[in-house]
Amino acid sequence: MDRELDDLLRSGVFAWLDRESDNGALPLSWSQLTRCRIAGEQVQLIGATGIWKPRQMELPVSITTAPPRGSRPAPYEDSFDADGLLTYRYRGTDPAHRDNTGLRRLGKERRGLVYFHGIRRGVYLATWPVFVVEDRPGDLAVKVMMADPRTFEPGLDPEVADRAQARYTARLTRQRLHQADFRGRVLTAYRERCGFCHLRHTALLDAAHIREDSLGGAPATSNGLALCKIHHAAFDHHIIGLRPDLRVQVRPDVLEEVDGPMLRHGLQELEGTPLLVPNRRADRPDASMVEERYERFLAR
């Protein structure tokens, strides 16, 4: 197989990911990633091994970090070094294994691949293109940059630019992974329903923080509520609140308003309704954070 065909398929994979994930904003399922169609061919982008090469391609197309087990956060914070580079381990202990030599060739030829980070079983967040920038055979690993080194600002010392860009991109990548991981765990805990109105459409659900990020809120499931987008916005703007007894309270002035059916059915009728709580006690809202948030709601 020649490089031209591999590059054509690789570009097709990146374009497919653009469309299917809304430029990386949406997670993708195992089913989607194993049945995508590129240039009329069904190309599998992920597989049983972390380094994955489809049969139609010359070199690996993706590397994958497995999702976390249970409800604990994924350990992605530990995957990046001080320079913002992802450490990705070889397959096995033989540096000459086909998958490991494939990663080294991708690095030498500055050819991009996809990094899939598992946020829960069968669901992955994609980052692309990523580039192998350093081989560490003694550590049985390579270093991966979450951006194309060729796009760095010209005029800067290449080493300084590389490190600065790598750190910046790694920070954005960790932020995306944090958000996706938190959302996945919270929506799973709430059985993919809005905790206030029980809406089931996953695309319309968010993971809301009880104690906000800006106040040091941790990405723990007990600090999260699965809310539909309108109730998330209403919760964040203190139009509706959550009482310590886990019942919804609507702001008094909003209860007195007269408007259309959205106000009446979507907000006013929530007054006094109980929160849909997770089955696992460990996933349920932390009482101290709910009380703290409720006090801020009352102060508005």
Side-chain angles (χ1 to χ4, degrees), residues 130-143:
V130 303
F131 293 83
V132 176
V133 294
E134 187 178 344
D135 185 31
R136 293 283 189 87
D139 298 329
L140 298 176
V142 293
K143 294 285 188 176

Side-chain angles (χ1 to χ4, degrees), residues 16 27-28 56 84 117 144 150 198 242 244 257 283-284 287 295:
W16 182 89
L28 298 165
Q56 299 97 331
H117 183 93
V144 179
R150 294 169 295 188
H198 300 193
L242 184 64
E257 290 179 14
D283 293 333
R284 294 175 187 174
E295 289 174 359

